[in-house]
């Protein structure tokens, strides 16, 4: 995906429609800076803004990602290319997220242990001791909660029976027994309970 080409395309379509950057920003309810970032090829519009942006510019989503108006006969091929690329981007993002999960989980656990250790072994008043334990527990709960949230949304879980891939609810991830990232959950497709592996594709 060529961000520069996409940016130039957005810019030229906007000018064609005789809309300024700030007018476009206002229509999308975002800052002028965001528009200029897209147009300079620094980043892509957020998924949430894309449909309205395309409507305003009078282009298809496929045109947007191709950075040009796609000829009807090339449409399907371009669409496939763009979808493939989007999948790759999501995979890469999911990979980074899952790495972050480890960092958050690890940091929260270590902080918790250090605070509990200090509270248990160092001389101090009772209230300070209680405060340290409470703060430690909050950090731990927050860290684990966020790590689980990442694990829920990044990638998919694959059913061990029917190989159906799905994104589970936060609740089911939270309560599921697990070994690493493999969790015992109920498959929404075949209804069987089993150990479902985390997969990125
Ligand atoms: Zn299944």
């Amino acid at each position: 995906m060529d961000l520069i080409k996409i940016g130039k395309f957005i810019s030229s379509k906007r000018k064609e429609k005789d809309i300024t950057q700030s007018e476009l920003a206002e229509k999308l309810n975002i800052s002028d800076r965001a528009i200029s970032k897209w147009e300079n090829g620094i980043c892509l519009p957020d998924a949430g803004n894309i449909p309205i942006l395309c409507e305003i510019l009078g282009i298809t989503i496929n045109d947007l990602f191709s950075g040009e108006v796609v000829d009807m006969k090339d449409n399907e091929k371009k669409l496939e290319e763009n979808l493939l690329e989007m999948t790759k981007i999501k995979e890469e993002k999911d990979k980074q997220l899952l790495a972050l999960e480890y960092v958050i989980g690890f940091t929260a656990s270590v902080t918790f242990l250090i605070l509990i250790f200090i509270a248990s072994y160092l001389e101090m008043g009772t209230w300070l001791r209680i405060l340290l334990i409470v703060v430690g527990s909050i950090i731990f709960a927050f860290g684990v909660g966020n790590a689980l949230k990442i694990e829920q949304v990044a990638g998919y879980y694959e059913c061990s029976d029917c190989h159906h891939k799905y994104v589970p609810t936060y609740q089911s991830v939270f309560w599921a027994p697990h070994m690493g990232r493999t969790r015992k959950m109920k498959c929404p497709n075949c209804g069987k309970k089993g150990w479902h592996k985390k997969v990125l594709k």
Side-chain angles (χ1 to χ4, degrees):
M1 209 166 283
D2 186 344
L3 290 189
I4 302 281
K5 189 176 173 196
I6 294 174
K8 281 189 183 145
F9 181 57
I10 294 176
S11 166
S12 76
K13 278 287 157 187
R14 173 177 63 72
K15 285 169 191 156
E16 223 171 78
K17 295 267 165 189
D18 209 12
I19 314 171
T20 65
Q21 283 195 345
S22 42
E23 281 166 349
L24 182 58
E26 201 172 314
K27 279 180 204 270
L28 291 165
N29 210 4
I30 53 172
S31 69
D32 302 14
R33 262 178 67 89
I35 310 278
S36 113
K37 274 188 182 170
W38 306 343
E39 294 191 352
N40 287 314
I42 295 167
C43 63
L44 279 175
D46 282 343
N49 288 323
I50 288 175
I52 313 163
L53 174 68
C54 289
E55 204 188 313
I56 295 170
L57 299 180
I59 55 176
T60 67
I61 294 178
N62 198 22
D63 294 341
L64 178 74
F65 286 129
S66 308
E68 62 190 3
V69 174
V70 178
D71 203 325
M72 275 312 274
K73 68 178 178 14
D74 295 333
N75 200 44
E76 209 157 310
K77 193 169 152 271
K78 280 274 184 194
L79 190 61
E80 267 170 24
E81 279 172 19
N82 285 332
L83 276 177
L84 194 67
E85 190 126 4
M86 293 298 276
T87 317
K88 273 190 204 145
I89 292 173
K90 176 166 167 21
E91 253 177 64
E92 202 45 52
K93 256 195 184 159
D94 285 348
K95 240 189 239 170
Q96 288 168 358
L97 270 177
L98 286 174
L100 184 66
E101 182 200 356
Y102 277 137
V103 176
I104 293 176
F106 181 76
T107 313
S109 307
V110 170
T111 313
F112 174 69
L113 288 176
I114 290 174
L115 289 179
I116 296 301
F117 180 84
I118 294 173
S120 311
Y121 292 105
L122 262 54
E123 279 298 326
M124 65 182 79
T126 312
W127 282 112
L128 186 55
R129 221 182 276 280
I130 292 173
L131 183 69
L132 282 181
I133 293 172
V134 169
V135 169
S137 305
I138 290 171
I139 292 174
F140 186 67
F142 183 77
V144 169
N146 275 296
L148 269 180
K149 180 77 202 160
I150 291 175
E151 194 168 322
Q152 180 214 342
V153 297
Y156 312 89
Y157 283 93
E158 184 176 354
C159 170
S160 46
D161 283 296
C162 70
H163 300 287
H164 174 65
K165 286 168 190 155
Y166 65 100
V167 176
T169 62
Y170 184 74
Q171 230 94 357
S172 55
V173 170
F174 187 86
W175 294 110
H178 68 108
M179 290 187 294
R181 281 188 185 130
T182 302
R183 288 178 182 269
K184 193 171 183 183
M185 291 188 292
K186 195 171 160 189
C187 168
N189 187 42
C190 69
K192 282 188 191 150
K193 260 197 163 185
W195 289 94
H196 298 173
K197 263 191 202 149
K198 168 119 287 188
V199 289
L200 283 177
K201 280 179 201 196

